[in-house]
Amino acid sequence: MKQTTVPPEAKKRATELQKTISYHDKKYYDQAEPEISDFEYDRLYRELKDLETTYPSLKTADSPTQRVGGTTSKHFKTLPHRVPMLSLDNTYSLEELEEFDQRVHKGLGAEKYEYVCELKIDGVSMELVYEEGILVHALTRGDGEKGDDVIENVKMIRGLPHQLKGINIPKRVEIRGEVFFTREDFEKINQEREEQDEPLFANPRNTASGTLKTIDPKEAAKKPLHILLYYVFSPNELPFETQKESLQWLKKLGFPEDPHHRLCKTIGEVHAYCEEYQAKRDSIGFDCDGVVLKVNSYQQREKLGTTSKIPRWAIAFKFAAQKAETTLKAITLQVGRTGAITPVAELEPVLLEGTTVSRATLHNEDEIKRKDLRAGDRVIVEKGGSVIPKVLQSLPEKRKGSEKVFKMPSTCPVCGSKLEREEGEAAWRCENAACDAQVERRIEHFCGRDAMDIRGAGPAVVKQLLDEKLIRDYADLYTLKEKDVANLERKAEKSAQNLIGQIDESRKRTLGRFLFGLGIRHVGVHVAEILATRYKDLWSVSEAAVEELTVIDGIGPIVAHSIAAFFDTASNIKILKKLEKSGVNLKRLKEEEPSGDQPFLGQTFVFTGELRGYSRKEAEDTAKKLGAKASGSVSKLTTYVVAGEAAGSKLKKAKELGVEVITEDQFNAMVKKYS
Ligand code: AMP
Ligand code: ZN
């Protein structure tokens, strides 16, 4: 290695930076009291990182660049909830709230009672456990009985106390709440992703859930998660008596406060609260799907009790899915990777649950017919919770006569070839594999996360590469030169280098990823992995006949045909040859080899006659455990027939077909060898 002498001022600066960054790490991660902005922090961090790259000897083991602030948790521990995290009873109707109130009234006899209304935040439920005032666990709801401890990520939530200070802190207290993103932050995250040409997140809730499960807390820290707490639990030690007081207690301890909750003395006030927030749900800044109504007094809650599934002292009033009227401007067609044509509703942009909706999938031709949707129609669109918007219905009474009935064209909107519809399928398909749209989708798929994982080649970049005629198929990616890419608009030199580097890197991907990346119809991640375990390289997969493929566990006849058809197509083979020439890995990697406990993988056993040591089922299970497939009938694809006493027709058939017949003892010997 080349030795570089380190100028003294560089060394001095690095030491300084290490100290400063460590200080801020502690502030941020351990005390949750950051003193500087993320931006400022990133600047310091990058400066240090650059110095250490230039002068590697500065990269000491205790440098903050070498560790994550706080502790890293590589795996999440699953821990039980001391009290199960239950669902809530829920209703969409105000009348049913009335009935709930009557049940409460009855349950409490003559006692007076009050409610607290809170918003039902549409996020991820979280249970914080504080022992002796210290945050020791942060559990997801999991299955309600036990959840994952994601404490390292939860600690990254700004403003969440890691330690409770004050008098009357219970020895152990569980505090439940909801983790979520504000809509503004969520949009920002997606905007950044769009600029980076990365796939967009679907909705704030899933993104919050994903962020909580991030392995590296530092990554989680980059996203501004929020938390609001709504339930405190600590038997016999509560420093308060009501929900309202518990929320005040939380506030005093420094937890973020929910400004929307309200004490309601009558069910009438509860109604008013529900109606008020139903109307203004779009302006509160985060997703919420209803109101939770809770009996205020803890003592009365005790009295009302809990069924096995839900507490009797709380209920959720759910907001109806939001609907809006707009104009269906046009129905366009999208051509997918395998040629499937999906009609898309192009809508006059309309605000729904805080987001602007301008497109919705219409699934297929039948759906459009069923709903009688016509271009130009006024339509009702709906968005329930955070689901993808859908077009509910058209409003025929508002038609002016100029609306156009949808007619599925007979040819592909992109390449003009004739569309086909297979028996029993909903989708029409462009069967032209060279169709520009399919080519584009295929390359996007090839570069995707679960395939070759070429991060720099998102949809926008792929499109540019195609438009500039720099590539025609995914194999061409590997012949790209830096100068080709550098010329692309929008692409600075540096990211171009990255792209080429990433493409280069992807040459080493597993056979499974590669097979998935090819985009063979019906071959998902799982089937691709099965193939990679079964075959040693791409060419052996390509030579496998349909009958051989069908025998493999997890691969049915449709998938097998699709695989065989792919390798029967000359243009595909041409691309594969190009990939091979470019040095892309086409071989099974060590990590994909059948594991030691699957030595019978790809073999099929048929048991016949009476076995001494096993029932038929036990014998089959034994073979299956070692990776084999067990079948009830003999064919030329059978690997072994295991013949017991008085074996009859199957034995005869095996002999006719030349299938190897073994005894039970021989079978035992094979099994023993591996277990
Ligand atoms: P559900 O999953 O529909 O049965 O509703 C129960 C879930 O609502 C809980 O697990 C919480 O995650 C969530 N929730 C959101 N806001 C509140 C709140 N203010 N009080 C209680 N639960 C809430
Ligand atoms: Zn086409």
Side-chain angles (χ1 to χ4, degrees):
M1 216 175 87
K2 206 174 86 206
Q3 285 291 330
T4 15
T5 43
V6 184
E9 60 277 29
K11 185 162 177 15
K12 186 159 162 259
R13 179 67 183 148
T15 316
E16 223 170 76
L17 283 166
Q18 288 179 352
K19 257 216 199 113
T20 315
I21 293 170
S22 292
Y23 170 80
H24 289 299
D25 273 349
K26 208 167 154 54
K27 281 271 151 204
Y28 186 87
Y29 292 106
D30 297 331
Q31 299 163 4
E33 286 165 358
E35 286 177 4
I36 55 172
S37 68
D38 288 1
F39 178 77
E40 185 62 23
Y41 178 92
D42 284 344
R43 206 180 53 76
L44 295 171
Y45 193 86
R46 218 169 309 129
E47 193 190 342
L48 177 59
K49 198 117 193 181
D50 287 348
L51 273 173
E52 291 178 343
T53 312
T54 319
Y55 309 109
S57 67
L58 295 177
K59 203 189 311 173
T60 53
D62 62 353
S63 167
T65 58
Q66 299 307 297
R67 62 182 158 83
V68 187
T71 38
T72 334
S73 73
K74 278 269 175 282
H75 314 279
F76 303 115
K77 248 197 251 150
T78 305
L79 295 176
H81 299 292
R82 205 158 58 152
V83 177
M85 285 177 91
L86 302 174
S87 269
L88 289 173
D89 195 5
N90 69 66
T91 172
Y92 286 89
S93 99
L94 289 173
E95 287 79 63
E96 279 181 24
L97 283 190
E98 209 89 45
E99 290 165 22
F100 168 79
D101 182 51
Q102 269 150 32
R103 288 197 299 274
V104 170
H105 178 80
K106 223 164 124 194
L108 294 177
E111 285 177 36
K112 275 190 121 150
Y113 56 92
E114 293 169 329
Y115 294 112
V116 167
C117 285
E118 295 163 3
L119 293 181
K120 188 168 186 300
I121 305 163
D122 195 10
V124 181
S125 15
M126 179 53 55
E127 174 172 271
L128 306 175
V129 182
Y130 287 86
E131 277 172 4
E132 311 289 352
I134 311 267
L135 177 62
V136 289
H137 304 297
L139 306 180
T140 61
R141 175 154 148 185
D143 61 1
E145 300 286 334
K146 48 191 182 337
D148 286 335
D149 194 351
V150 291
I151 182 167
E152 296 307 330
N153 291 332
V154 167
K155 277 186 174 172
M156 300 298 131
I157 301 175
R158 301 226 161 175
L160 178 74
H162 296 182
Q163 195 174 359
L164 307 181
K165 293 190 193 110
I167 40 170
N168 287 343
I169 304 294
K171 256 176 111 64
R172 178 182 159 110
V173 58
E174 283 143 40
I175 306 175
R176 291 181 182 173
E178 205 81 359
V179 174
F180 60 97
F181 283 113
T182 65
R183 282 182 175 158
E184 196 187 338
D185 286 336
F186 176 72
E187 302 273 310
K188 232 186 263 160
I189 291 171
N190 260 350
Q191 238 165 41
E192 272 164 30
R193 291 179 73 85
E194 192 158 17
E195 278 157 23
Q196 306 284 329
D197 205 11
E198 292 191 56
L200 301 188
F201 289 127
N203 60 54
R205 176 168 21 99
N206 290 357
T207 313
S209 172
T211 307
L212 283 172
K213 293 281 172 77
T214 309
I215 302 284
D216 180 355
K218 198 138 195 161
E219 281 302 311
K222 286 187 190 151
K223 303 209 181 82
L225 281 175
H226 288 255
I227 190 165
L228 282 179
L229 290 312
Y230 47 67
Y231 181 52
V232 185
F233 179 81
S234 174
N236 315 324
E237 263 194 283
L238 290 181
F240 44 75
E241 286 171 4
T242 65
Q243 177 73 4
K244 178 83 190 164
E245 285 164 12
S246 76
L247 297 176
Q248 283 161 346
W249 183 75
L250 288 170
K251 184 181 173 196
K252 235 180 22 221
L253 288 174
F255 287 95
E257 188 196 14
D258 159 29
H260 301 287
H261 73 273
R262 183 180 300 164
L263 189 68
C264 292
K265 292 203 173 4
T266 64
I267 195 71
E269 286 177 35
V270 171
H271 279 193
Y273 181 92
C274 291
E275 278 170 344
E276 178 184 331
Y277 273 96
Q278 167 123 283
K280 67 180 188 198
R281 61 189 294 203
D282 274 348
S283 58
I284 54 175
F286 52 82
D287 284 356
C288 72
D289 55 351
V291 168
V292 183
L293 156 67
K294 301 171 178 173
V295 169
N296 194 24
S297 151
Y298 272 71
Q299 206 200 327
Q300 288 179 336
R301 290 181 186 183
E302 193 94 357
K303 209 163 180 177
L304 291 163
T306 293
T307 71
S308 67
K309 285 211 194 77
I310 47 170
R312 287 202 188 85
W313 47 265
I315 190 168
F317 168 72
K318 294 232 186 166
F319 298 146
Q322 268 195 349
K323 293 180 187 147
E325 188 184 318
T326 187
T327 302
L328 174 61
K329 291 193 299 188
I331 297 175
T332 55
L333 298 172
Q334 222 170 35
V335 186
R337 171 169 59 84
T338 58
I341 310 281
T342 312
V344 177
E346 307 289 343
L347 304 163
E348 190 70 51
V350 60
L351 198 68
L352 253 190
E353 297 194 12
T355 49
T356 307
V357 174
S358 54
R359 301 186 96 200
T361 169
L362 295 173
H363 304 291
N364 54 54
E365 185 189 15
D366 296 341
E367 168 125 344
I368 299 172
K369 280 197 182 137
R370 194 163 51 74
K371 293 182 176 165
D372 185 22
L373 302 176
R374 307 181 186 180
D377 264 350
R378 290 295 283 172
V379 291
I380 303 289
V381 285
E382 178 189 85
K383 196 162 166 247
S386 305
V387 300
I388 300 160
K390 64 176 181 202
V391 179
L392 266 193
Q393 61 170 125
S394 59
L395 300 172
E397 65 278 13
K398 297 204 171 169
R399 283 187 185 140
K400 298 197 194 80
S402 56
E403 296 76 14
K404 280 205 224 54
V405 177
F406 177 73
K407 203 168 158 284
M408 196 71 183
S410 56
T411 57
C412 171
V414 175
C415 72
S417 47
K418 196 164 169 296
L419 297 183
E420 310 279 346
R421 185 173 179 169
E422 282 169 32
E423 179 100 6
E425 282 218 19
W428 287 89
R429 241 166 237 291
C430 162
E431 302 272 0
N432 168 21
C435 170
D436 280 352
Q438 290 186 50
V439 169
E440 188 171 337
R441 299 286 102 72
R442 271 206 295 274
I443 300 174
E444 287 168 7
H445 172 83
F446 183 83
C447 298
R449 287 273 157 116
D450 294 329
M452 301 300 266
D453 196 19
I454 307 173
R455 300 277 167 108
V461 169
V462 169
K463 184 165 186 324
Q464 279 188 326
L465 292 170
L466 282 166
D467 288 350
E468 302 278 328
K469 304 222 169 4
L470 289 166
I471 58 172
R472 271 159 308 151
D473 55 51
Y474 40 62
D476 291 341
L477 289 167
Y478 296 94
T479 56
L480 283 174
K481 300 272 178 318
E482 244 150 60
K483 67 172 190 335
D484 302 334
V485 187
N487 288 339
L488 287 183
E489 263 182 325
R490 253 188 77 222
K491 297 244 102 198
E493 181 82 24
K494 187 146 185 250
S495 55
Q497 279 172 7
N498 278 343
L499 179 58
I500 300 296
Q502 286 169 14
I503 292 173
D504 190 37
E505 178 74 15
S506 77
R507 286 189 165 90
K508 296 184 287 216
R509 297 279 182 264
T510 58
L511 178 59
R513 278 175 172 274
F514 179 79
L515 287 169
F516 175 64
L518 293 180
I520 305 170
R521 201 171 154 203
H522 303 302
V523 176
V525 173
H526 184 59
V527 169
E529 278 170 4
I530 293 177
L531 289 171
T533 315
R534 177 72 181 74
Y535 294 98
K536 67 179 197 314
D537 58 23
L538 171 80
W539 301 118
S540 359
V541 181
S542 78
E543 282 157 13
V546 171
E547 298 76 30
E548 180 183 335
L549 291 165
T550 317
V551 177
I552 301 171
D553 213 12
I555 297 185
I558 294 177
V559 184
H561 271 106
S562 172
I563 296 169
F566 180 88
F567 291 108
D568 266 348
T569 308
S571 55
N572 290 337
I573 298 296
K574 221 168 109 193
I575 295 176
L576 293 174
K577 290 255 164 73
K578 270 205 282 188
L579 285 160
E580 183 174 44
K581 235 173 96 195
S582 307
V584 176
N585 172 55
L586 306 180
K587 293 207 181 75
R588 172 167 71 199
L589 298 186
K590 192 121 200 103
E591 67 211 73
E592 298 177 282
E593 278 170 14
S595 56
D597 47 0
Q598 298 263 290
F600 291 1
L601 201 78
Q603 303 182 352
T604 305
F605 283 75
V606 174
F607 295 90
T608 178
E610 206 168 309
L611 302 170
R612 278 170 282 120
Y614 313 83
S615 70
R616 177 76 52 86
K617 167 121 190 352
E618 282 165 0
E620 289 182 353
D621 286 348
T622 308
K624 279 192 201 157
K625 242 193 234 141
L626 295 169
K629 198 166 170 169
S631 168
S633 60
V634 181
S635 75
K636 64 179 200 297
L637 296 165
T638 309
T639 322
Y640 297 108
V641 170
V642 183
E645 291 289 312
S649 65
K650 287 182 193 164
L651 187 57
K652 202 168 134 233
K653 181 110 188 261
K655 285 185 176 146
E656 277 167 25
L657 293 170
V659 171
E660 189 166 347
V661 179
I662 59 173
T663 63
E664 185 178 345
D665 289 339
Q666 282 172 306
F667 174 68
N668 282 335
M670 287 166 77
V671 171
K672 215 164 139 203
K673 215 163 99 193
Y674 297 108
S675 41

